[in-house]
Amino acid sequence: MCQYSSQNGLPTEWHMVHLGSRAVGGAGLVMTEATAISPEGRISTGCAGIWNDEQMLVWKKIVSFIKAQGALAGIQLAHAGRKASMDLPWSKRRLVPITDGGWLPVAPSAIAYSEDYALPEEMIESMIEKVVEDFSNATKRAIKANFDVIEIHAAHGYLLHEFLSPLSNQRADKWGGTLENRMRLTLKVCKRLRALWPAEKAIFIRISATDWMSGGWDPELSVELCKQVKEIGIDLVDVSSGGVHPEQKIITGPNYQVPFAEKIKKETGIAVAAVGEITDPEQANEIIKTNKADFIAIARESLRDPYWPRRAAAALKAEITPPLQYGRAWNG
């Protein structure tokens, strides 16, 4: 999911993940999703970005509003890679051709995600370095916009995940082949952003723990990656899965990704967030109580039920402070 923009990547509507966290001071965290670091890094023609100051100033207003409600504000920085230049997800057409406002996607290898997606351009060294600079510049703007948390999007078949997975990365240079080479770009981005981002503020990374495909990225490789991002100073791994290959066979169900988060937490010691078909307050609380994860991220359920935090607080007998304008009706 991403924010949607009427023009020029300016946010006009945004989807949010609500994430309660001890590591961010016990406050609720509102996370904007898939915010593009460059025009070519957008997933769709309607995605918002943070690649210029005009966008940053709009985000700054949104951040101010979020904080006025007593929450913290986070932004997920993303590059779509070969899954770029698409139409809005509810549109009847998918791929937007260059002749109609689309653009040429880039990727570690010139392999299309599927026949419904564009054939991407294989990235040369200067293009890879530009991605690092784009992440860096987006982070500098996130600082100016006063965000509390940034999350590096390295999941769901987007650019950083494309470099990690041998299914999408078939390079023979220093950016491909061995695990060390395939992790190189993600780790370089993590190092650069950790150096730029204020030391007292948290950085998350979102990963796909498995490709759900033989010969692809898997939980053991995820553990190795997470050991290294922990050494860099990344504070939390947001553990999702899939998205890099259309023939993936995902076995879904309540808590279906929680074992991946639990494995990473136990084998690396880094804090993790559990996501995916977590819809019930008691279900979410049990994951935390049994130490399978440190955080619960609620996304789609919060779109279906914007009052999920209040419902969860009531179910778990926790006290929360309502928005000021809701106060008169909160308990009556």
Side-chain angles (χ1 to χ4, degrees), residues 15-38:
H15 299 165
M16 298 178 178
V17 174
H18 300 278
L19 179 61
S21 159
R22 290 171 303 187
V24 289
L29 173 64
V30 179
M31 180 76 74
T32 73
E33 294 192 274
T35 307
I37 60 169
S38 62

Side-chain angles (χ1 to χ4, degrees), residues 3-22:
Q3 306 86 26
Y4 293 103
S5 160
S6 57
Q7 59 179 348
N8 298 328
L10 295 174
T12 56
E13 174 187 344
W14 54 96
H15 299 165
M16 298 178 178
V17 174
H18 300 278
L19 179 61
S21 159
R22 290 171 303 187

Side-chain angles (χ1 to χ4, degrees), residues 17 39 41 60 75 87 112-113 145 171 188 212 218 220 223 292:
V17 174
K60 190 171 185 177
I75 185 168
D87 210 339
Y113 174 72
R171 301 175 71 96
K188 186 167 185 175
W212 300 96
D218 63 30
E220 296 300 329
V223 167
K292 294 175 181 174

Side-chain angles (χ1 to χ4, degrees), residues 8 33 41 61 78 87 95 103 112 161 205 243 277 325 327:
N8 298 328
E33 294 192 274
K61 294 178 182 178
D87 210 339
L95 179 65
W103 58 97
H161 183 192
I205 184 171
E277 293 199 32
Q325 60 268 49

Side-chain angles (χ1 to χ4, degrees), residues 24 48 99 108 133 137 147 183 193-194 202 245 251 259 266:
V24 289
T99 55
E133 291 304 313
N137 290 331
F147 279 100
M183 291 194 301
L193 270 54
R194 183 66 276 180
H245 200 286
I251 303 171
K266 286 184 176 180

Side-chain angles (χ1 to χ4, degrees), residues 19 23 31 76 149-152 154-155 164 186 190 202-210 217 219 221-231 233-241 257-258 260-265 268-275 292-297:
L19 179 61
M31 180 76 74
Q76 186 185 80
V149 174
I150 55 172
E151 179 171 83
I152 301 164
L164 293 171
T186 298
C190 288
I203 296 183
F204 299 174
I205 184 171
R206 182 162 229 198
I207 69 167
S208 284
T210 177
W217 189 259
L221 299 177
S222 292
V223 167
E224 182 56 36
L225 173 68
C226 292
K227 287 178 180 178
Q228 297 202 36
V229 302
K230 182 184 178 185
E231 290 183 4
I234 301 303
D235 299 282
L236 175 139
V237 182
D238 181 1
V239 186
S240 189
S241 68
Q257 294 176 145
V258 173
F260 304 135
E262 183 180 15
K263 177 181 177 68
I264 289 169
K265 176 178 170 63
T268 70
I270 197 168
V272 297
V275 305
K292 294 175 181 174
D294 303 279
F295 310 84
I296 303 296

